[in-house]
């Protein structure tokens, strides 16, 4: 009899025929027996009962089961309807030409060829042929009770508009039909999101391949959120719908955290609309297992099912029945080892490929026997093998969507019905909804007790040991006979037999798994399970309550071994004191918290591989290592010899002794203990070395693994367990997350943090508050009883002291690292900070400033610039695991240091020393940060590299400034750096940087810095659309500061004059924004270099900017030929400058010249001008930065002017996604967005795609409203364009209204030419169309 799967990790096998026996005892005992018997009957009754003929009720989760409204367990077993909405080339009759190879491409091609109406009719024909009511009959007759339906955004939105305006009126046409048809047959439906807006991977199974932009686009995420909201609202309360699978195979995400974040957001969206349906959450990222998913209670998720996909190696890739069986076992084991999650498991997709019927039978039975729901991928497929429950029996024609007529396409697709083209696949071994059809009934995984239960005399619960498993512990590896299930019931016919499993994997042991907590958990689970139809069983609840109530009065004793057990040639305690309470540390380490245990665990797990022996050696010193070799020598009885180490090496070098493992533990002093001299000279055997010295990798061993800190979810579990929190709330989990983040997930710190909470009887909220207020005191805490014999502060103290003794350079370097951003301290940054950097001098030329002149310590500068000394210091810190070396970036080394190492290392030195290194860190970052593109060609790359450190040094500056005011030289250096950094990152950061600068320079008289600040402040305000504030900033500086009392010494200061020119140009830009072009020209003419015949370098740069702005004014006036000649002259003059290529103004100049070329009818020349620079930017991966986007917009215009609409559309879609993904966009970004929509609208318009054109014009109009330009000349052009599109669509009333609106606007507003092409030749074109018709 197969086991009934219950909640958590409790499995039960019913007793054999039970004899009725009257047992003496009290009434209470008799009632207990009756209750236990009823409990057994309840567990074993009808878990797989058919739902086909019953009215479907809303499903929900109950522990690890899926149940219906009456509480009956409903295992879901079914198929996927692949290829219905999301067409895949291998599975569906997509296109015989293989040109559009995804659903999006097919629909787009049909749209462009036949129009939207015909396209939709053709797609409906395909869908109505692919899945029909007869297919639902097939599914019902096969015994299946669920279908999983993959959907994608393109069936809900139009291809041209994924905003709410683009929601399709027929979004639920076919899906509703499927749901209704399935419900009528007693089949549940899972709606599976196979393709979100923007696509979650590059795969074609998302509906649109090679996109994968969902993760970086807030717009795509918002549109996906809206889509799920509509779906959940639509199916709320529908009892046929089992639930919603939020995100299929999110393989394009960067990491687990991104997946969980997206899942949490979508979960909240669905829950906000539909609180009743189950939500399916997939663990199909990275390694595709449960470890990537959090405990749902930690996220506040309820009524959720965790879903996996099972794809063993295929037959073409070496797959066999054994590998398929192993995949099934892996899924089962993964489910069982996460029983504490208390959620059901659903294998949403799986196949056993074409490796034999037995593999299918094993896989399905394995799932059924362990209470796992499943659905086969897929119902039908034209590919061969085992891919489809129905496989191809003949080959109907596949249409060519590019060339065939619409009638041919429809006729071809109509022939792909299941009855016409497919037959049931014989490769699946008779798999059906009951499991496996053997011809003699169905072997479901439910099971029921045989005979009366009144004579049962007791229960047996088998609990496995360390590293065991609830089922595998009792199962023979070869025969697969399960002792508790297959043999013991025959020997003990009157005994109820159960097995209980807990998470006994070595790396998951935590302090919560002591005797008390495991026992309490077992009793609680049994208490949950023991239910009758009338009421919960009282028996186990009484036991549990008695036990829990008395624990405070009981002395609990854990037993452990005092005698060592031999493993090969070393002896260890199998159950040590700490293991007796299941307190084995996690396999993680930062300097000694898990390396030995990891090596031992490997040895224990693989000891049977090493038949010659396992030798464990203490390599902490020469003495201990030789002593261990001597002990091994005595064990081997190798006879007299003068060199016992060589004797052992010779013994290991003999071929008959080839299966051995050597473990060199705690090899931290590699200089004193040179390990290779102890290695046997053989080609066999294995050697493991554990060391804190990371130099071991590459020196004594070619390969190695750095043991990482705990994962966040693991750290939370350790903290909560050690704190003794039995039933953690959502608030507990939230606080725990914040605490482990503060502790950097360091095992020692997390362990002792939990001990602090437990021993001091604090809450997690209390601990977090105390940590933030009194971090040093909290880290000094040492529990009376615990695994670790040191506190966090003392754990590294011996290392710090040794570093101080061995190397002052290393000690100083560590102190410097203590006040930098810990995750990425690059050697490039350190080198720049200690090298001369370029700045502008008063003559307006580049001059180098030495680091010492910037305030950096001369000894630090000399040490970092000495490559040999620096490398020696780094090696010393690496050898004590005080720092880590990250992966090299751009051939530059980068280091990281744990935040707690930073704290402990800095707090042990006097305040004066701390202050010194805080200042050095601050000055190093200020000096290293590049000031602009002209002074530093790698300005952008270096600026982004150093940006993360600015936030850290600002924190240090604030602490220093609170103690005492800092010298003006330091505040000016910090202000100068912040002004340069304000050109990076987001708008909030730019505001913060400029605000800080204004505070730093509040009482300063450095006119150059003050002018720079005013210029940056006014520019930012203009970019954010605050023209009046921008003007006020300029006027306040110019009129109140400069003109009345100008220092006469500044008159000859070229640097100051150049900055004054920037202020003038900024004011002119404001005038251009308001449309006052005449005043802007006058303002620009007010500034010139001090010596116009021989301007300084910095003045020449400003002069170029002035001339570019003047050329732009000419273009805005409609004087295109004059603007082109003027700008081409600027371009020729600039090409001789050293600072020409790659600068921001150079790209602005190129785009202005290209736009002018398009205006005068020379778009081919414009394209030739733009392409090389865009290619350079693409090679540097910076083509999507602001200046790169500007060039791409100009390129789009050249494409449109040349009639290259496909190319223009491709760039427009890409740019649209970029602009929509910008948070807090400035005016330039919003204008760019308008250019994208207006360009898209024109391409659709010129190709007579009127629906798409109208939608794009509406989007462009919405952007104009954001810009505050809904009543200007450009808005009139948009209304003209909308009028014509509406007219073509037969919307004559709307067309007339739009035309009237356009006329009013154009009569009222003066014509300007602020958007290339749009305000000029497009206006002429659309005006003639509208007024001419």
């Amino acid at each position: 009899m197969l086991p009934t799967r219950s909640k958590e990790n409790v499995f039960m096998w019913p007793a054999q025929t039970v004899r009725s026996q009257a047992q003496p005892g009290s009434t209470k005992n008799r009632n207990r027996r009756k209750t236990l018997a009823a409990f057994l009957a309840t567990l074993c009754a009808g878990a797989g009962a058919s739902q086909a003929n019953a009215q479907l009720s809303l499903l929900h989760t109950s522990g690890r089961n899926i149940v219906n409204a009456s509480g009956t367990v409903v295992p879901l077993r079914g198929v996927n309807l692949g290829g219905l909405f999301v067409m895949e080339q291998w599975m569906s009759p997509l296109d015989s030409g293989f040109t559009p190879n995804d659903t999006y491409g097919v629909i787009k091609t049909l749209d462009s060829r036949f129009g939207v109406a015909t396209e939709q009719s053709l797609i409906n024909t395909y869908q109505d042929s692919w899945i029909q009511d007869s297919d639902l009959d097939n599914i019902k007759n096969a015994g299946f009770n669920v279908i999983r339906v993959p959907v994608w955004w393109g069936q809900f939105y139009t291809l041209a508009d994924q905003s709410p305006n683009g929601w399709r009126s027929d979004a639920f046409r076919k899906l509703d039909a499927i749901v209704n048809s399935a419900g009528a047959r007693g089949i549940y439906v899972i709606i599976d999101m196979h393709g979100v807006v923007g696509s979650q991977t590059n795969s074609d199974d998302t509906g649109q391949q090679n996109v994968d932009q969902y993760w970086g686009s807030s717009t795509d995420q918002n549109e996906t959120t809206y889509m799920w909201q509509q779906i959940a609202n639509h199916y709320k309360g529908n009892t046929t719908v089992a639930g919603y699978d939020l995100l299929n195979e999110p393989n394009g995400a960067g990491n687990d955290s991104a997946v969980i974040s997206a899942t949490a957001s979508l979960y909240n969206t669905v829950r906000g609309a539909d609180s009743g349906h189950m939500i399916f959450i997939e663990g199909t990222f990275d390694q595709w297992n449960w470890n990537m998913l959090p405990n749902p209670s930690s996220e506040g998720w309820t009524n959720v099912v965790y879903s996996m996909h099972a794809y063993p190696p295929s037959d073409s890739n070496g797959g066999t029945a054994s590998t398929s069986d192993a995949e099934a076992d892996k899924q089962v084991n993964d489910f069982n080892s996460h029983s504490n999650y208390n959620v059901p498991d659903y294998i949403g997709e799986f196949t056993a490929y074409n490796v034999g019927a037995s593999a299918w039978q094993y896989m399905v039975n394995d799932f059924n026997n362990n209470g796992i729901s499943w659905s086969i991928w897929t119902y039908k497929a034209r590919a061969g093998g085992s891919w489809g429950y129905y496989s191809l029996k003949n080959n109907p024609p596949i249409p060519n969507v590019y060339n065939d007529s619409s009638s041919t396409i429809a006729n071809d697709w109509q022939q792909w019905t299941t009855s016409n083209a497919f037959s049931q696949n014989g490769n699946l071994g008779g798999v059906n909804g009951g499991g496996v059809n053997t011809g003699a009934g169905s072997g479901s995984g439910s099971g029921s007790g045989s005979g009366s239960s009144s004579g049962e005399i007791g229960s047996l619960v088998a609990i496995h040991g360390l590293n065991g498993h609830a089922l595998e512990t009792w199962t023979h590896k070869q025969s697969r006979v399960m002792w508790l299930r297959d043999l013991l019931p025959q020997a003990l016919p009157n005994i109820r037999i159960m097995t209980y499993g807990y998470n006994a994997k070595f790396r998951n042991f935590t302090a919560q798994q002591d005797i008390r907590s495991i026992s309490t958990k077992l009793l609680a689970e049994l208490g949950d399970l023991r239910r009758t139809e009338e009421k919960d069983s009282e028996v186990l609840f009484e036991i549990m309550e008695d036990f829990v109530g008395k624990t405070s009065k009981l002395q609990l004793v854990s037993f452990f071994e005092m005698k060592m057990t031999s493993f090969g040639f070393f002896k260890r305690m199998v159950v040590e004191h700490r293991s007796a309470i299941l307190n084995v540390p996690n396999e993680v380490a930062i300097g000694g918290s898990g390396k030995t245990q990891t090596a031992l665990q490997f040895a224990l797990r693989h000891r049977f591989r090493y038949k010659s022996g396992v030798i464990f050696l203490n390599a902490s010193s020469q003495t201990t290592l030789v002593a261990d070799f001597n002990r091994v020598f005595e064990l081997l009885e190798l006879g007299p010899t003068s060199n016992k180490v060589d004797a052992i090496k010779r013994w290991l070098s003999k071929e008959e002794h080839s299966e051995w493992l050597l473990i060199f533990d705690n090899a931290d002093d590699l200089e004193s203990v040179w390990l290779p001299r102890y290695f046997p000279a053989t080609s066999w055997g294995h050697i493991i070395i554990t060391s804190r010295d990371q130099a071991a990798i590459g020196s004594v061993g070619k390969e190695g693994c750095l043991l990482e800190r705990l994962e966040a979810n693991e750290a939370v579990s350790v903290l909560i367990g050690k704190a003794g929190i039995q039933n953690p709330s959502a608030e507990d989990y939230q606080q725990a997350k914040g605490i482990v983040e503060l502790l950097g997930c360091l095992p020692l710190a997390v362990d002792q943090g939990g001990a602090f909470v437990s021993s001091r009887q604090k809450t997690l909220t209390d601990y977090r508050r105390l940590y933030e207020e009194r971090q040093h005191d909290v880290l000094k805490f040492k529990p009376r009883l615990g695994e670790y014999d040191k506190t966090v502060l003392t754990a590294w103290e011996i290392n710090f002291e040794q570093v101080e003794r061995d190397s002052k350079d290393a000690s100083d370097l560590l102190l410097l690292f203590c006040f930098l951003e810990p995750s990425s301290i690059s050697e490039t940054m350190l080198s720049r900070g200690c090298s001369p950097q370029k700045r502008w001098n008063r003559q307006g030329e580049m001059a180098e400033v030495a680091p010492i002149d910037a305030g950096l310590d001369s000894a630090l500068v000399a040490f970092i610039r000495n490559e040999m000394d620096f490398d020696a210091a780094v090696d010393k810190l690496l050898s004590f695991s005080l720092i880590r070396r990250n992966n090299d970036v751009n051939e530059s080394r980068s280091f990281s240091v744990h935040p707690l190492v930073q704290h402990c290392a800095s707090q042990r030195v006097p305040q004066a020393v701390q202050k010194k290194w805080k200042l050095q860190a601050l000055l190093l970052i200020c000096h290293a940060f590049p000031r602009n593109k002209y002074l530093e060609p790698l300005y952008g790359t270096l600026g982004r590299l150093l940006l993360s450190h600015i936030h850290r040094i600002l924190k240090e500056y604030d602490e220093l400034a609170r103690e005492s005011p800092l010298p003006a030289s330091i505040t000016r250096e910090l202000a100068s750096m912040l002004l340069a950094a304000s050109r990076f990152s987001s708008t909030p950061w730019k505001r913060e940087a400029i605000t800080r600068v204004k505070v730093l320079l509040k009482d300063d008289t450095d006119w150059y810095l003050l002018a720079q600040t005013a210029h940056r402040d006014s520019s930012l305000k203009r970019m954010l659309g605050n023209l009046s504030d921008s003007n006020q900033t300029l006027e306040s500086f110019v009129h109140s500061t400069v003109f009345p009392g100008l220092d006469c010494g500044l008159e000859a200061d070229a640097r100051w004059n150049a900055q004054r020119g920037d202020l003038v140009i900024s004011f002119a830009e404001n005038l251009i924004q308001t449309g006052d072009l005449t005043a802007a020209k006058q303002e620009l003419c007010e500034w010139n270099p001090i010596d116009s015949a021989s301007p300084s370098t910095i003045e020449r740069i400003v002069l170029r900017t002035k001339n570019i702005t003047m050329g732009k004014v000419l273009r805005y006036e409609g004087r295109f030929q004059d603007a082109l000649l003027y700008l081409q002259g600027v371009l020729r003059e600039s090409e001789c400058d050293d600072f020409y290529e790659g600068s921001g103004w150079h790209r602005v100049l190129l785009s202005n010249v290209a736009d002018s070329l398009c205006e005068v009818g020379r778009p081919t020349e414009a394209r030739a001008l733009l392409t090389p620079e865009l290619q350079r930017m693409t090679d540097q991966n910076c083509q999507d930065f602001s200046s790169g986007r500007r060039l791409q917009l100009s390129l789009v215009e050249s494409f449109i002017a040349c009639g290259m609409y496909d190319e223009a559309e491709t760039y427009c879609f890409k740019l649209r996604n970029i602009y929509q993904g910008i948070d807090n966009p400035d005016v330039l970004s919003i204008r760019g967005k308008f250019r994208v929509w207006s360009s898209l609208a024109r391409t659709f318009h010129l190709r007579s795609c009127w629906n798409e054109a109208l939608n794009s014009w509406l989007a462009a109009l919405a952007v104009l409203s954001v810009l505050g330009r809904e009543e200007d000349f450009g808005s009139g052009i948009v209304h003209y364009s909308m009028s014509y599109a509406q007219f073509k669509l037969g919307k004559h009333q709307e067309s007339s209204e739009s035309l009237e609106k356009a006329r009013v606007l154009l009569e009222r507003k003066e014509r300007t030419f602020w958007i290339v092409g749009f305000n000029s030749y497009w206006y002429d074109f659309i005006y003639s169309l509208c007024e001419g018709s």
Side-chain angles (χ1 to χ4, degrees), residues 1001-1137:
L1001 301 178
K1002 182 179 179 182
D1003 298 318
D1004 209 309
T1005 57
D1006 187 318
W1007 300 117
Y1008 176 62
L1009 274 178
L1010 290 169
Q1012 259 193 305
T1013 305
H1015 175 240
R1016 285 294 301 133
D1017 193 18
S1018 68
S1019 297
L1020 179 61
K1021 288 173 178 175
R1022 180 174 60 254
M1023 286 191 293
L1024 296 177
N1026 302 324
L1027 287 180
S1028 60
D1029 290 347
S1030 178
N1031 281 331
Q1032 185 177 355
T1033 297
L1034 294 169
E1035 291 168 0
S1036 174
F1037 180 81
V1038 173
H1039 296 296
S1040 302
T1041 307
V1042 179
F1043 293 144
L1046 182 65
D1047 185 344
C1048 61
L1050 293 178
E1051 292 291 351
D1053 189 328
R1055 184 181 62 168
W1056 155 254
N1057 187 55
Q1059 192 58 63
R1060 178 177 170 274
D1062 279 334
L1063 292 170
V1064 168
I1065 294 169
S1066 187
F1067 190 61
E1069 287 284 3
N1070 287 351
L1071 292 170
I1072 292 171
Q1073 292 289 321
T1074 61
D1076 195 345
L1077 302 180
T1078 301
K1081 284 193 294 185
Q1082 291 174 349
E1083 191 70 30
L1084 290 170
C1085 292
E1086 290 294 321
W1087 181 85
N1088 284 296
I1090 295 173
D1091 183 356
S1092 298
S1094 180
S1096 65
T1097 301
I1098 192 172
E1099 287 175 310
R1100 282 193 292 124
I1101 292 171
V1102 176
L1103 188 60
R1104 297 285 184 266
T1105 306
K1106 167 191 168 179
N1107 291 337
I1108 293 170
T1109 308
M1110 186 68 79
K1112 183 167 65 174
V1113 171
L1114 292 173
R1115 187 166 63 80
Y1116 282 10
E1117 289 178 330
R1119 297 167 57 186
F1120 302 132
Q1121 193 63 48
D1122 293 341
L1124 177 61
L1125 293 173
Y1126 190 90
L1127 291 169
Q1128 283 179 326
V1130 177
L1131 185 61
R1132 283 191 299 272
E1133 293 173 5
S1134 303
E1135 289 172 346
C1136 301
D1137 291 334

Side-chain angles (χ1 to χ4, degrees), residues 425-462:
N425 195 335
N427 294 326
L428 273 61
V431 170
N432 58 34
V436 178
N437 186 356
T438 62
S442 171
S444 74
S446 58
S448 60
S450 57
S452 169
S453 62
S454 61
E456 295 166 358
I457 59 175
S459 299
L460 185 152
V461 180

Side-chain angles (χ1 to χ4, degrees), residues 197-216:
V197 181
S199 300
Q200 67 271 29
T201 74
N202 282 314
S203 175
D204 62 343
D205 62 21
T206 63
Q208 186 179 11
Q209 69 176 6
N210 299 326
V211 179
D212 189 22
Q213 65 190 24
Y214 170 79
W215 305 103

Side-chain angles (χ1 to χ4, degrees), residues 185 199 300 365 481 621 704 762 882 1021 1138 1156 1242:
R185 292 161 174 78
S199 300
N365 281 335
V481 171
S621 69
K762 299 289 186 181
L882 294 173
K1021 288 173 178 175
D1138 294 334
S1156 299
R1242 286 186 285 153

